[in-house]
Amino acid sequence: MKSQTSDCIKIPPGFWAGLHQLGIDAYDLARKARLPLTISSEPIVTSAQYFAIWQAYSDLIGETAKGIIKLATVFETAKYPPTVLATYHARDYRDALNRMARYKQLCPPEVLRITEAGELCTIELEWLHIEEPGPPMLIGITLACLLELGRRGTGQPLTARSVEFSHAMGDVQVLEAYFGCPIRIGGKYNRLTLDRRDLDRPFVSYNEELLEILTPALNRSLDDQQRSRSTAEMVKWILKRSLSGGRLDIHAVAMELSMSDRTLQRRLTDENTSFKHLLTQARHEQAREYLADPTIDIKEVAFLIGYEDQNSFYRAFRLWEGDTPSNWRTEHAGTNC
């Protein structure tokens, strides 16, 4: 969703230092990515440039799985930017992950969605720009760094319960040895599943004084960024992330935005819209996107946009498009919808 964030991504200096430790010169990577050779001294890049950098690293390192593990483990904690550094000094693993998910909003294009249920904690990686999924190397690095965060913070050799990738990631055995669990390739999601009990583990690197310095500054930056977006945009973005999870009421969305139901309703009214209208828009837009993908069954489309039964979805879709989902899919096959 390009309307929600400026297309500006900060690359920390530690990234280039990590590449240097792996024997990769910044100039070589820039040439491979077909970017200016000054890219390492200009920390702000676009999403397209960001993805090109990660693809170039993947090409230069040669093997995706080994490249993931090498960079995730060689990166020095002290060289992380403040948004990430704060997570390494959190109170415990849960606090660290929640901070990571929150502050990720300051550095798109990836988004982390954390769900705790039963004995498991699942972290899904999503993209703000759905039509531009990140390269496999970036996906793998992101999930590996989440586990690395827990290992370094707790000082314990934590393992995952399972890991799922939507695309091929190279040598699966290398990844299974690192994550300590089975790796599934070719799934619908990119996600890391942890033992929920591990989230209670305290961080040996907990630093209350440092957090008191970093947290207010990061929260102000996040608040400034959020104020630059319309409330309607933020609500619809949250709804699209939550359609299949059952969190479709205004109270849940208001909580995620750290405001009361009444305040959210008032702001939406001021923007000449309503929660119900935005929910309908979110479902309609996501339905079109999912139906444009012939690999997704129509029954699954209904579930993915929050309908408990297929008939309700069919009725709604007829109101939106004046046609059935199957006819719409046939008519729009092969087109960019």
Side-chain angles (χ1 to χ4, degrees):
M1 293 180 58
K2 294 182 180 180
S3 61
Q4 284 204 267
T5 60
S6 59
D7 193 29
C8 296
I9 300 165
K10 292 183 180 180
I11 298 182
F15 171 75
W16 305 106
L19 292 183
H20 181 72
Q21 287 183 258
L22 297 179
I24 296 177
D25 189 272
Y27 285 174
D28 292 336
L29 186 140
R31 291 190 185 95
K32 190 71 175 179
R34 297 183 179 180
L35 296 174
L37 298 182
T38 56
I39 196 72
S40 62
S41 60
E42 298 172 356
I44 306 297
V45 298
T46 66
S47 295
Q49 291 172 331
Y50 186 62
F51 287 168
I53 287 171
W54 281 105
Q55 187 58 55
Y57 167 66
S58 181
D59 294 339
L60 291 172
I61 204 70
E63 213 290 315
T64 303
K66 292 181 180 178
I68 290 169
I69 309 310
K70 285 182 178 180
L71 190 57
T73 53
V74 76
F75 211 119
E76 296 180 24
T77 303
K79 293 183 178 180
Y80 278 115
T83 50
V84 179
L85 186 62
T87 67
Y88 277 86
H89 298 289
R91 183 177 298 276
D92 52 36
Y93 197 10
R94 177 180 286 102
D95 181 26
L97 290 173
N98 287 330
R99 287 175 183 271
M100 183 72 82
R102 177 171 170 77
Y103 296 137
K104 269 290 183 183
Q105 298 176 64
L106 288 170
C107 46
E110 59 263 49
V111 177
L112 300 177
R113 184 176 177 186
I114 302 174
T115 304
E116 291 188 48
E119 298 179 350
L120 303 178
C121 171
T122 300
I123 310 170
E124 289 186 13
L125 171 62
E126 301 173 347
W127 304 102
L128 289 177
H129 305 283
I130 299 175
E131 74 278 8
E132 300 175 25
M137 180 64 76
L138 175 57
I139 295 170
I141 285 285
T142 301
L143 296 190
C145 284
L146 292 176
L147 182 59
E148 192 71 18
L149 168 63
R151 288 174 173 173
R152 295 189 188 189
T154 64
Q156 299 295 320
L158 304 182
T159 59
R161 291 285 288 267
S162 65
V163 178
E164 180 178 337
F165 293 113
S166 59
H167 296 87
M169 304 297 288
D171 192 335
V172 173
Q173 291 185 337
V174 170
L175 293 174
E176 289 182 336
Y178 175 79
F179 285 100
C181 68
I183 303 290
R184 181 187 177 192
I185 302 296
K188 294 180 180 178
Y189 307 98
N190 295 294
R191 58 189 176 191
L192 169 71
T193 300
L194 303 169
D195 190 321
R196 195 176 180 185
R197 293 174 298 182
D198 286 337
L199 271 59
D200 295 319
R201 292 180 182 270
F203 267 27
V204 294
S205 53
Y206 173 52
N207 188 323
E208 184 177 6
E209 291 78 13
L210 182 60
L211 288 178
E212 287 179 352
I213 297 172
L214 292 176
T215 301
L218 293 173
N219 286 341
R220 283 194 300 270
S221 297
L222 186 58
D223 290 342
D224 289 343
Q225 177 175 289
Q226 290 179 335
R227 277 195 293 269
S228 68
R229 313 171 187 168
S230 73
T231 302
E233 286 178 325
M234 291 190 290
V235 168
K236 191 157 70 169
W237 178 60
I238 291 171
L239 286 171
K240 284 186 175 182
R241 289 195 300 139
S242 310
L243 286 175
S244 63
R247 297 180 58 193
L248 303 180
D249 60 280
I250 192 170
H251 179 66
V253 175
M255 285 186 62
E256 188 157 349
L257 292 172
S258 300
M259 63 179 72
S260 68
D261 300 9
R262 181 175 296 181
T263 298
L264 178 54
Q265 288 175 328
R266 185 180 69 251
R267 292 188 181 182
L268 293 178
T269 300
D270 291 342
E271 295 178 14
N272 298 313
T273 189
S274 68
F275 183 83
K276 183 178 180 180
H277 178 67
L278 293 173
L279 175 57
T280 299
Q281 277 191 330
R283 281 174 159 164
H284 186 186
E285 292 171 12
Q286 290 297 90
R288 287 172 61 95
E289 184 172 331
Y290 290 138
L291 287 171
D293 184 346
T295 65
I296 303 179
D297 187 85
I298 291 179
K299 290 183 179 180
E300 188 174 2
V301 173
F303 167 75
L304 289 172
I305 65 171
Y307 285 98
E308 295 182 358
D309 64 272
Q310 193 173 346
N311 289 334
S312 297
F313 168 53
Y314 267 67
R315 287 193 296 271
F317 196 83
R318 277 187 174 277
L319 289 174
W320 299 334
E321 297 289 339
D323 206 347
T324 66
S326 55
N327 286 343
W328 188 93
R329 168 174 275 176
T330 299
E331 292 174 7
H332 292 82
T335 64
N336 185 5
C337 305

